[in-house]
Amino acid sequence: MLLLIDSYDSFTYNLRSLVEEATGETVLVIHNDQVPQHELQSYLGLFKGVIIGPGPGNPSVDGDVGVIPWLFTQDIPLLGICLGFQSLCLSQGCAIEELGDVKHGQVYKVTHNGDPLLDGIDESFESVRYHSLHVADPLADSLEKLAYTTEPDGTEVIMAVKHKTKPWYGVQYHPESICSTFGSTLVSNFLSLAGKYNESRSRTVYEDPGSVEMLLRKINIEPLLTPKLDKPLKLHQKLIPTSSSPVTICDLLFQRGKEFMLLNSASSPGNWSIIGLPSKASLRITHSTESNDKVSLQQHGESWEEDISSIWSFLSDTMSSHIVPKTSQFPFIGGFLGLFSYEEGHFVQLEKLPRVTSSSNVPDTKLVFIEECILMNNSTGETFITSLNSAEHIQEIEELLNFPTQATHLDEIHAEYINKPDKANYLSNFNKCQQLLRSGDSYELCLTVPTEIGIPANIHPWEIYKVLTVKNPSPYSAYFNFDDCVLLSSSPERFLSWDNETCELRPIKGTVKKTVDMTYERAKSILNTPKELGENLMIVDLIRHDLYQLLKKVSVTKLMSVEEYSTVYQLVSVIQGHFKGSAYSGIDILSQSLPPGSMTGAPKKRSVEILQELEVLRRGLYSGVCGYWSIENNADWSVIIRSMFHYKDDLKNTRDTNLWKIGAGGAITVLSDPEGEWEEMLTKLDSVLRIFQ
């Protein structure tokens, strides 16, 4: 067994997976401040060696490294990676300095001297660098340089060292990255060297199931969902003859005064559109992080509150009695439709958020349990009505649709005011991001800014949505009109989909605006640059980490591919996790991976904290996710971007005007240009603002 020390990095579980697959060893992961030093002392005998992983910050800052310096007083084999490598060198008296040219997500050639740690690795091999600090020459007398890389100006940067008398090794590069080579060979060599050292010193590694169990209690994540699969599926369905679009059908429902929720796959790669039809009998769930231990419920005209341990355990317990085996052809036959805000995710320091600008608690989770819906297959043109209750309900819905109508929409929406982001403030925050990237606190920061729009109160949200879906059709378009908030989405980005076998994430990083002279090939050449590829690579590695935290098998089926949308070209990757042999399910992945990494940066924890300090305001629904979770345990959630949202109790609403918000932003890296990032942010913002033009 090996111990892996995690310094709150977003690549740690990629490293654990790499080591376990390469060596067959079990790897236990703990945070660098999770187990007190005196307690960790008693556990070291369980491990053949310790891997000190990467992380944000500086090895000289106590709060960044926790127990790591203490490990260099122990007689145990150690392998330090990035921050761990720098900590090893610092412990021996080396100077740690800022790089002149920071490398985050960059692939470089590494050359080594043939030491046993690097046995079987090409003399010159490619690996990914994520570091703004480096170990300066000359090395301490106790250390030997094993490998280096060469900067464009010819400067050599140390990439690997070992201690001359102790079993301590370190590499600056990231062997666990998707674009690194020979990572498996490196960790296998370390384990071999550790074994030889332990044998030479008669260092016995003991097996103590009780001690292991105590450690596991500190670090285990318990599965959320325990479905009762003995419940038979009673699904009523009917194929109805219609050529109407989802918007046309919803327009008819709107005219008839019928409540609906729409997930509208208005362009490729979406295949299905889902129209959920809530009723008074539908369970409605509201959760606010302002009252984190309470959930508000509505059903049959009654409202009440319940105490909860977490919104995720509550939702899983609620869904467990509804889950049935997958037998239908549909993506959704009933279950939850709704959204989660950015603040519902991990690492947001709620106590540091400013006072809310609403007369009631801001909703962070809004879900409704749907039992009747209209499903439209955009590939075949087929439309179905389904019900979990009775065939009579299907007949009632069909009768409702048997009225001739044609969807109409305004050409544009009138706005009383549009308050766009302040450029000077944005550039100031951009510069602060650059300082934090260079100091090692983050590799990438998704800096965002809100735009406020005043829309006449007499314009119904449905009328706004109809214009939006015409002006900016998207694969993850959505219309949610709840009692306290409204979301109108034209998102191009899937966050997470799942069924019982696999889950899939499709992060987007890298955007080029479509113009008359912007061809696919030209966009491809712009997006295939170190800056854009580095942004996407970092998020791919982050998502792999999020999945590997719970799953053993993760695959990247598309890596940094250019996709075309109605208004932009974007750089997209596809990452899949596999549930076979795992006790976890999709809801575990969702609960552990929010907020979306593409909207935070990496490492996620430190990046979320930094962005909160810079942006000051709640992001709210922007940067959250919306979608569905069907009772057949398949789900699809998109990132809430290219979207408008409105809180009905917002204090800035007036009798005549409602405040709506649009968020926009982009990933800031050390290669980012301030004017370029400002323009990219405006491109994303304009994809929604075009409804006012």
Side-chain angles (χ1 to χ4, degrees):
M1 191 184 321
L2 294 167
L3 178 65
L4 173 54
I5 304 294
D6 172 31
S7 293
Y8 294 94
D9 197 59
S10 287
F11 306 146
T12 298
Y13 286 93
N14 299 336
L15 184 56
R16 182 186 72 174
S17 175
L18 174 72
V19 175
E20 289 188 337
E21 289 186 10
T23 68
E25 291 286 334
T26 298
V27 178
L28 286 183
V29 181
I30 63 172
H31 294 310
N32 63 28
D33 59 357
Q34 193 169 9
V35 180
Q37 180 176 306
H38 68 276
E39 190 177 335
L40 187 57
Q41 173 82 62
S42 65
Y43 291 128
L44 284 184
L46 294 168
F47 305 106
K48 296 177 181 178
V50 178
I51 299 173
I52 305 170
N58 191 301
S60 64
V61 177
D62 291 344
D64 293 341
V65 291
V67 300
I68 290 174
W70 168 80
L71 288 169
F72 297 109
T73 68
Q74 303 301 300
D75 184 27
I76 188 170
L78 302 172
L79 174 63
I81 294 170
C82 199
L83 182 67
F85 161 82
Q86 294 166 9
S87 296
L88 164 60
C89 295
L90 182 66
S91 75
Q92 302 305 298
C94 296
I96 310 298
E97 300 176 353
E98 286 192 15
L99 277 173
D101 189 5
V102 175
K103 305 299 179 187
H104 287 158
Q106 305 297 307
V107 179
Y108 266 73
K109 286 282 187 181
V110 176
T111 302
H112 68 89
N113 66 359
D115 185 85
L117 178 68
L118 302 159
D119 188 41
I121 298 176
D122 290 350
E123 181 181 355
S124 182
F125 64 98
E126 289 189 338
S127 207
V128 176
R129 298 169 62 185
Y130 285 109
H131 65 118
S132 58
L133 307 177
H134 75 109
V135 176
D137 272 324
L139 276 176
D141 291 341
S142 59
L143 298 177
E144 178 185 342
K145 181 164 69 173
L146 306 182
Y148 65 91
T149 192
T150 305
E151 301 283 38
D153 64 1
T155 303
E156 288 188 3
V157 179
I158 300 170
M159 285 288 114
V161 302
K162 72 174 181 181
H163 197 282
K164 291 178 180 178
T165 61
K166 299 180 184 296
W168 299 343
Y169 305 85
V171 295
Q172 175 63 78
Y173 63 87
H174 280 241
E176 80 286 354
S177 173
I178 188 69
C179 290
S180 288
T181 59
F182 293 105
S184 296
T185 307
L186 174 81
V187 296
S188 295
N189 289 343
F190 168 70
L191 182 62
S192 176
L193 292 167
K196 292 176 182 177
Y197 178 84
N198 290 333
E199 184 178 353
S200 71
R201 296 299 179 97
S202 299
R203 180 179 177 270
T204 302
V205 179
Y206 64 89
E207 295 184 9
D208 184 349
S211 294
V212 173
E213 179 63 27
M214 288 184 67
L215 262 181
L216 286 174
R217 283 181 203 157
K218 295 178 180 291
I219 61 179
N220 267 0
I221 298 171
E222 294 297 325
L224 286 168
L225 187 66
T226 307
K228 302 167 184 177
L229 293 175
D230 56 339
K231 181 179 179 180
L233 173 62
K234 295 180 180 179
L235 178 66
H236 306 274
Q237 64 183 72
K238 184 175 183 180
L239 173 66
I240 62 171
T242 180
S243 58
S244 297
S245 70
V247 172
T248 301
I249 289 178
C250 287
D251 209 46
L252 174 58
L253 296 171
F254 175 71
Q255 293 172 25
R256 303 286 293 175
K258 179 71 174 177
E259 184 183 7
F260 60 90
M261 306 288 179
L262 172 62
L263 293 171
N264 178 22
S265 292
S267 72
S268 178
N271 290 324
W272 288 86
S273 292
I274 300 168
I275 304 171
L277 302 173
S279 69
K280 287 186 177 180
S282 299
L283 176 66
R284 300 162 193 259
I285 298 174
T286 302
H287 178 252
S288 174
T289 55
E290 294 170 41
S291 299
N292 216 18
D293 57 352
K294 303 282 185 183
V295 64
S296 299
L297 306 171
Q298 290 179 295
Q299 193 173 28
H300 299 295
E302 296 184 2
S303 301
W304 69 99
E305 276 192 348
E306 291 185 11
D307 295 333
I308 57 172
S309 57
S310 80
I311 185 60
W312 303 108
S313 59
F314 175 82
L315 294 177
S316 300
D317 290 345
T318 302
M319 189 60 129
S320 64
S321 61
H322 296 283
I323 291 286
V324 296
K326 176 68 176 175
T327 57
S328 82
Q329 61 176 306
F330 305 119
F332 180 84
I333 57 172
F336 286 125
L337 287 179
L339 54 84
F340 299 96
S341 78
Y342 177 84
E343 281 74 28
E344 200 69 86
H346 291 278
F347 310 128
V348 178
Q349 298 171 312
L350 300 172
E351 69 281 1
K352 293 186 178 181
L353 287 170
R355 187 177 64 83
V356 297
T357 58
S358 177
S359 59
S360 61
N361 284 348
V362 174
D364 290 301
T365 293
K366 294 294 297 187
L367 296 168
V368 58
F369 194 90
I370 297 294
E371 294 181 297
E372 276 85 36
C373 55
I374 301 169
L375 304 171
M376 310 184 74
N377 188 320
N378 299 326
S379 298
T380 65
E382 295 175 311
T383 298
F384 300 84
I385 303 174
T386 67
S387 174
L388 298 177
N389 292 312
S390 69
E392 286 75 17
H393 283 82
I394 291 180
Q395 183 177 348
E396 292 172 6
I397 296 169
E398 188 175 16
E399 290 175 356
L400 192 65
L401 299 181
N402 285 334
F403 290 87
T405 187
Q406 183 174 359
T408 60
H409 63 83
L410 304 171
D411 291 330
E412 62 183 47
I413 301 298
H414 169 69
E416 296 294 337
Y417 59 84
I418 299 177
N419 296 329
K420 288 188 175 182
D422 178 71
K423 185 175 182 179
N425 183 64
Y426 176 86
L427 294 179
S428 174
N429 281 338
F430 175 94
N431 291 331
K432 292 175 183 176
C433 286
Q434 289 295 327
Q435 294 170 11
L436 291 161
L437 293 169
R438 294 184 180 281
S439 66
D441 287 280
S442 180
Y443 311 134
E444 176 178 304
L445 291 164
C446 186
L447 180 64
T448 74
V449 285
T451 291
E452 295 186 344
I453 305 102
I455 299 179
N458 62 358
I459 299 180
H460 195 278
W462 176 244
E463 299 297 336
I464 304 172
Y465 174 78
K466 286 191 293 182
V467 179
L468 179 62
T469 196
V470 169
K471 298 268 189 166
N472 194 35
S474 68
Y476 303 105
S477 176
Y479 172 83
F480 287 105
N481 189 356
F482 290 105
D483 58 333
D484 51 6
C485 65
V486 185
L487 171 66
L488 314 178
S489 175
S490 60
S491 175
E493 181 174 353
R494 166 179 282 165
F495 175 58
L496 170 66
S497 64
W498 76 72
D499 56 26
N500 288 315
E501 302 297 324
T502 61
C503 60
E504 179 180 286
L505 296 96
R506 290 175 55 91
I508 291 177
K509 276 297 167 195
T511 303
V512 172
K513 186 176 182 178
K514 280 183 93 171
T515 60
V516 291
D517 59 345
M518 182 59 69
T519 65
Y520 176 86
E521 289 301 322
R522 186 179 170 203
K524 189 175 179 181
S525 67
I526 294 172
L527 291 171
N528 280 289
T529 59
K531 172 189 174 295
E532 305 294 350
L533 295 174
E535 285 183 22
N536 203 284
L537 171 59
M538 280 184 262
I539 300 306
V540 170
D541 281 342
L542 182 153
I543 288 172
R544 291 172 59 239
H545 158 90
D546 283 348
L547 294 179
Y548 274 133
Q549 186 174 6
L550 301 178
L551 305 178
K552 292 292 186 182
K553 184 180 179 183
V554 175
S555 53
V556 178
T557 59
K558 180 183 288 188
L559 183 61
M560 295 180 279
S561 176
V562 178
E563 292 188 353
E564 181 177 358
Y565 296 89
S566 60
T567 60
V568 293
Y569 296 97
Q570 301 207 275
L571 200 60
V572 181
S573 294
V574 178
I575 305 99
Q576 291 185 339
H578 304 267
F579 292 121
K580 185 176 181 180
S582 173
Y584 297 108
S585 63
I587 190 63
D588 296 293
I589 303 296
L590 180 64
S591 68
Q592 291 297 317
S593 55
L594 288 177
S598 62
M599 301 308 297
T600 64
K604 187 185 286 187
K605 179 179 184 294
R606 185 69 64 90
S607 296
V608 168
E609 293 167 355
I610 289 169
L611 291 167
Q612 184 175 325
E613 292 178 4
L614 292 178
E615 296 175 358
V616 181
L617 301 172
R618 273 180 171 263
R619 289 192 184 181
L621 302 189
Y622 171 64
S623 298
V625 299
C626 69
Y628 67 82
W629 182 14
S630 176
I631 62 171
E632 291 184 300
N633 196 30
N634 42 281
D636 204 348
W637 302 91
S638 63
V639 183
I640 300 176
I641 55 175
R642 320 293 198 273
S643 304
M644 301 175 57
F645 64 97
H646 161 63
Y647 295 118
K648 295 182 179 179
D649 287 339
D650 197 298
L651 295 176
K652 291 187 178 180
N653 296 335
T654 68
R655 184 182 64 180
D656 300 320
T657 304
N658 286 328
L659 174 69
W660 288 75
K661 295 181 180 179
I662 303 172
I668 308 299
T669 72
V670 291
L671 296 178
S672 295
D673 170 72
E675 289 295 331
E677 292 298 332
W678 173 255
E679 290 301 322
E680 180 177 324
M681 185 274 296
L682 292 180
T683 294
K684 296 170 181 175
L685 178 60
D686 288 345
S687 66
V688 180
L689 285 181
R690 63 180 58 207
I691 72 172
F692 302 106
Q693 300 167 352

